[in-house]
Amino acid sequence: MEKDLRALARVREWYGPHSSTAAEWPVDALLMAKGNTTVSVVLPARDEESTVGGIVAAIRRDLVERMPLVDEILVVDSNSTDATAQRAREAGARVVAQNEVLPHLEPLTGKGEALWKGLAASKGDIVVYIDADLRSFGPHYVSGLVGPLLVDAHTHFVKATYERPYTGADGVVQRGGGGRVTELVARPLLNMFWPELAGFSQPLGGEYAARREVLEQVPYVTEYGVEFGLLVDLLHLVGLDAMAQVDLGHRTHTHQSMAALGRMAGQIMHTAWSRLERQGRVLASEPPGHTLLQFGLEGQAGLVDVAVAERPPLASLVLEEDLA
């Protein structure tokens, strides 16, 4: 109990000085702080032709042409079967195919793979990740996230927070109903094992920014555990006081099916387990199972694999190649 109270006190101490809103980071002020720092916006995209073009166009119009805050817009096409790459390119992004980045490596699948390849392919000193399925995007998503990084040299990682409404099949909007995996899986795990991170209200959100030199020092889980893994690993690398969060307002996006959410939950649990093992906090005689038995509406059952692969820190790969 005493340990839990100390953790809560630590979160309260951190929360105020390290939480802000996007409105607190106006673009004109950030341009004065930017100096020679370069900013890359990276969007992982798989079959997002209906949204990716609008996001890219808004960034280019407001943060490249009107106000030169962003130096690079990169879309990582994650084996799309639709016109995602074409729409992104037409809107003004540089588009790279996921499997063509570092092609000498065996290709892997998953969102984390696209993010890691985006880090490798981009050039900015600050890297901003934005999901490509957003239906509520505004340029303040980018400026809000880079603000603390440009103004405070001691801040190395910034996570977005927002309200996540849930829109049902009948069109009814439920405020705060989004983020089901966050509330049912990620938040309990963080509070149990990494309570310092409990102050991040959207730990699985896909919008965040960090300094390249920091991101290159941590591994990337290749599946949907990537955001969870980055939070835990960056806490260990830079400490809580080098991390911050910015309120971007609200976020709407495409909702996943319950079966897909179950697979995501399994991947996040595997990611958490791997971090606990790595930190010497659990010792098991055998690894946890990686198959998930799921049932359909008609009672049909099927096994899915929720194991997660992992890319090493990009800096270690570069070092190996330099020494070869």
Side-chain angles (χ1 to χ4, degrees), residues 32-55:
M32 296 178 62
K34 185 177 189 295
N36 295 323
T37 304
T38 55
V39 177
S40 294
V41 179
V42 176
L43 294 89
R46 181 184 176 95
D47 295 335
E48 304 295 354
E49 64 179 5
S50 65
T51 52
V52 68
I55 296 172

Short mmCIF file of all heavy atoms in Angstrom, two decimals, residues 32-55:
data_model
loop_
_atom_site.label_atom_id
_atom_site.label_comp_id
_atom_site.label_asym_id
_atom_site.label_seq_id
_atom_site.Cartn_x
_atom_site.Cartn_y
_atom_site.Cartn_z
N MET A 32 10.16 30.27 -33.98
CA MET A 32 11.27 31.01 -33.36
C MET A 32 12.17 30.06 -32.58
O MET A 32 13.39 30.26 -32.51
CB MET A 32 10.72 32.10 -32.45
CG MET A 32 9.93 33.18 -33.17
SD MET A 32 9.26 34.42 -32.05
CE MET A 32 10.75 35.10 -31.36
N ALA A 33 11.57 29.01 -31.99
CA ALA A 33 12.35 28.06 -31.19
C ALA A 33 12.99 26.97 -32.05
O ALA A 33 13.91 26.30 -31.59
CB ALA A 33 11.45 27.41 -30.13
N LYS A 34 12.52 26.81 -33.26
CA LYS A 34 12.94 25.68 -34.11
C LYS A 34 14.42 25.74 -34.48
O LYS A 34 15.13 24.73 -34.41
CB LYS A 34 12.08 25.66 -35.38
CG LYS A 34 12.32 24.49 -36.31
CD LYS A 34 11.34 24.57 -37.48
CE LYS A 34 11.35 23.32 -38.35
NZ LYS A 34 12.60 23.08 -39.04
N GLY A 35 14.89 26.91 -34.86
CA GLY A 35 16.28 27.02 -35.26
C GLY A 35 16.63 26.08 -36.40
O GLY A 35 15.91 26.00 -37.40
N ASN A 36 17.68 25.31 -36.22
CA ASN A 36 18.11 24.36 -37.25
C ASN A 36 17.55 22.96 -37.04
O ASN A 36 17.91 22.03 -37.77
CB ASN A 36 19.64 24.28 -37.28
CG ASN A 36 20.27 25.59 -37.70
OD1 ASN A 36 19.74 26.29 -38.57
ND2 ASN A 36 21.40 25.94 -37.10
N THR A 37 16.68 22.79 -36.04
CA THR A 37 16.09 21.47 -35.77
C THR A 37 15.15 21.09 -36.90
O THR A 37 14.28 21.88 -37.30
CB THR A 37 15.32 21.48 -34.44
OG1 THR A 37 16.19 21.90 -33.40
CG2 THR A 37 14.76 20.10 -34.13
N THR A 38 15.28 19.89 -37.41
CA THR A 38 14.40 19.42 -38.48
C THR A 38 13.33 18.49 -37.93
O THR A 38 13.57 17.75 -36.97
CB THR A 38 15.20 18.71 -39.59
OG1 THR A 38 15.97 17.65 -39.00
CG2 THR A 38 16.13 19.68 -40.29
N VAL A 39 12.15 18.54 -38.56
CA VAL A 39 10.99 17.78 -38.09
C VAL A 39 10.46 16.91 -39.22
O VAL A 39 10.17 17.40 -40.32
CB VAL A 39 9.88 18.72 -37.60
CG1 VAL A 39 8.64 17.93 -37.20
CG2 VAL A 39 10.37 19.59 -36.45
N SER A 40 10.33 15.63 -38.95
CA SER A 40 9.72 14.69 -39.89
C SER A 40 8.40 14.19 -39.32
O SER A 40 8.34 13.82 -38.15
CB SER A 40 10.63 13.48 -40.15
OG SER A 40 11.81 13.85 -40.82
N VAL A 41 7.36 14.17 -40.15
CA VAL A 41 6.09 13.56 -39.77
C VAL A 41 5.99 12.23 -40.52
O VAL A 41 6.10 12.20 -41.75
CB VAL A 41 4.90 14.45 -40.12
CG1 VAL A 41 3.59 13.76 -39.74
CG2 VAL A 41 5.01 15.79 -39.40
N VAL A 42 5.80 11.15 -39.79
CA VAL A 42 5.76 9.81 -40.36
C VAL A 42 4.37 9.21 -40.14
O VAL A 42 3.88 9.18 -39.01
CB VAL A 42 6.82 8.89 -39.72
CG1 VAL A 42 6.70 7.46 -40.25
CG2 VAL A 42 8.22 9.45 -39.99
N LEU A 43 3.74 8.77 -41.22
CA LEU A 43 2.42 8.15 -41.14
C LEU A 43 2.51 6.70 -41.61
O LEU A 43 2.78 6.46 -42.80
CB LEU A 43 1.40 8.88 -42.02
CG LEU A 43 1.02 10.31 -41.64
CD1 LEU A 43 1.98 11.30 -42.30
CD2 LEU A 43 -0.41 10.61 -42.06
N PRO A 44 2.32 5.72 -40.73
CA PRO A 44 2.20 4.33 -41.18
C PRO A 44 0.81 4.14 -41.77
O PRO A 44 -0.19 4.57 -41.16
CB PRO A 44 2.37 3.53 -39.88
CG PRO A 44 1.84 4.46 -38.83
CD PRO A 44 2.16 5.86 -39.27
N ALA A 45 0.71 3.53 -42.94
CA ALA A 45 -0.60 3.47 -43.61
C ALA A 45 -0.80 2.13 -44.30
O ALA A 45 0.04 1.71 -45.10
CB ALA A 45 -0.73 4.61 -44.62
N ARG A 46 -1.90 1.50 -44.00
CA ARG A 46 -2.30 0.28 -44.69
C ARG A 46 -3.77 0.39 -45.06
O ARG A 46 -4.64 0.45 -44.20
CB ARG A 46 -2.09 -0.95 -43.79
CG ARG A 46 -2.47 -2.27 -44.46
CD ARG A 46 -2.33 -3.43 -43.47
NE ARG A 46 -2.76 -4.68 -44.05
CZ ARG A 46 -1.94 -5.56 -44.64
NH1 ARG A 46 -0.65 -5.31 -44.68
NH2 ARG A 46 -2.40 -6.68 -45.14
N ASP A 47 -4.04 0.49 -46.34
CA ASP A 47 -5.41 0.60 -46.86
C ASP A 47 -6.16 1.76 -46.23
O ASP A 47 -7.26 1.61 -45.69
CB ASP A 47 -6.16 -0.72 -46.64
CG ASP A 47 -5.57 -1.87 -47.43
OD1 ASP A 47 -4.92 -1.62 -48.45
OD2 ASP A 47 -5.73 -3.03 -47.00
N GLU A 48 -5.57 2.95 -46.31
CA GLU A 48 -6.18 4.15 -45.74
C GLU A 48 -6.39 5.21 -46.81
O GLU A 48 -6.19 6.40 -46.59
CB GLU A 48 -5.30 4.71 -44.61
CG GLU A 48 -4.97 3.76 -43.49
CD GLU A 48 -6.20 3.34 -42.68
OE1 GLU A 48 -7.29 3.87 -42.93
OE2 GLU A 48 -6.05 2.45 -41.82
N GLU A 49 -6.83 4.80 -48.00
CA GLU A 49 -6.97 5.74 -49.10
C GLU A 49 -8.00 6.84 -48.82
O GLU A 49 -7.91 7.93 -49.37
CB GLU A 49 -7.36 5.00 -50.39
CG GLU A 49 -8.72 4.32 -50.33
CD GLU A 49 -9.09 3.62 -51.64
OE1 GLU A 49 -8.24 3.59 -52.55
OE2 GLU A 49 -10.23 3.12 -51.74
N SER A 50 -8.97 6.58 -47.94
CA SER A 50 -10.02 7.56 -47.70
C SER A 50 -9.59 8.69 -46.76
O SER A 50 -10.25 9.73 -46.72
CB SER A 50 -11.26 6.86 -47.12
OG SER A 50 -10.99 6.32 -45.84
N THR A 51 -8.51 8.51 -46.03
CA THR A 51 -8.12 9.52 -45.03
C THR A 51 -6.70 10.04 -45.20
O THR A 51 -6.42 11.19 -44.84
CB THR A 51 -8.25 8.94 -43.61
OG1 THR A 51 -7.56 7.69 -43.53
CG2 THR A 51 -9.73 8.72 -43.25
N VAL A 52 -5.79 9.25 -45.71
CA VAL A 52 -4.38 9.64 -45.69
C VAL A 52 -4.12 10.90 -46.50
O VAL A 52 -3.33 11.77 -46.10
CB VAL A 52 -3.49 8.48 -46.18
CG1 VAL A 52 -3.70 8.19 -47.66
CG2 VAL A 52 -2.02 8.78 -45.89
N GLY A 53 -4.80 11.06 -47.63
CA GLY A 53 -4.56 12.23 -48.47
C GLY A 53 -4.93 13.53 -47.78
O GLY A 53 -4.21 14.53 -47.86
N GLY A 54 -6.05 13.54 -47.06
CA GLY A 54 -6.47 14.74 -46.35
C GLY A 54 -5.52 15.12 -45.24
O GLY A 54 -5.25 16.31 -45.01
N ILE A 55 -4.99 14.13 -44.54
CA ILE A 55 -4.04 14.40 -43.46
C ILE A 55 -2.76 15.00 -44.03
O ILE A 55 -2.26 16.02 -43.54
CB ILE A 55 -3.74 13.11 -42.67
CG1 ILE A 55 -4.99 12.61 -41.98
CG2 ILE A 55 -2.62 13.36 -41.65
CD1 ILE A 55 -4.84 11.24 -41.34
#
